[in-house]
Amino acid sequence: MRECARCHAKTDDHVVVCPHCGADLKVDSVTARALKAIMKNPRAQAVYVVARAGACPVCRRAQGTYYKDSGSIPRLPIEGCSCPDGCTCRYEPLLTEVGP
Ligand SMILES: [Zn+2]
Ligand SMILES: [Zn+2]
């Protein structure tokens, strides 16, 4: 499942252009923007891919921590995902602790 960051229309994983507003979902999906924000955040040293409970094996295998410079951060939706309602994985930043 992809969610458009502009109009919040939800589409299937294979859709790359929002049928509602024409946004390029490779850039303007909620997950793509979340990843971009994490990459730009100097306090985030890594990206954590979170698969929801009950996600398909492909998503569960993708779950984990990926360092920004590892070059192996998976794109969402996960390729080969077989979740019944599409990939619902999301990105979360792994923030560096900042002392007082
Ligand atoms: Zn849209
Ligand atoms: Zn899946």
Side-chain angles (χ1 to χ4, degrees), residues 30-40 47 73-75 91:
V30 169
T31 51
R33 282 201 185 174
L35 179 60
K36 205 173 163 194
I38 295 168
M39 296 308 276
K40 280 197 335 208
V47 181
I73 300 167
R75 299 278 158 213
Y91 295 117

Side-chain angles (χ1 to χ4, degrees), residues 55-59 78 81-83 86-89:
C56 72
V58 183
C59 287
I78 300 287
C81 167
S82 60
C83 296
C87 182
T88 51
C89 293

Side-chain angles (χ1 to χ4, degrees), residues 1-18:
M1 187 189 71
R2 287 186 205 250
E3 183 176 346
C4 177
R6 285 206 224 159
C7 71
H8 295 279
K10 290 188 174 131
T11 52
D12 288 342
D13 288 357
H14 63 271
V15 178
V16 289
V17 175
C18 178

Side-chain angles (χ1 to χ4, degrees), residues 31-99:
T31 51
R33 282 201 185 174
L35 179 60
K36 205 173 163 194
I38 295 168
M39 296 308 276
K40 280 197 335 208
N41 182 348
R43 283 183 57 221
Q45 50 173 194
V47 181
Y48 187 58
V49 173
V50 190
R52 122 193 119 159
C56 72
V58 183
C59 287
R60 274 184 282 140
R61 213 177 308 135
Q63 177 168 277
T65 305
Y66 299 86
Y67 283 87
K68 279 189 191 175
D69 53 10
S70 70
S72 62
I73 300 167
R75 299 278 158 213
L76 298 185
I78 300 287
E79 211 185 316
C81 167
S82 60
C83 296
D85 46 355
C87 182
T88 51
C89 293
R90 57 198 164 82
Y91 295 117
E92 275 185 12
L94 198 80
L95 298 174
T96 319
E97 297 294 330
V98 177

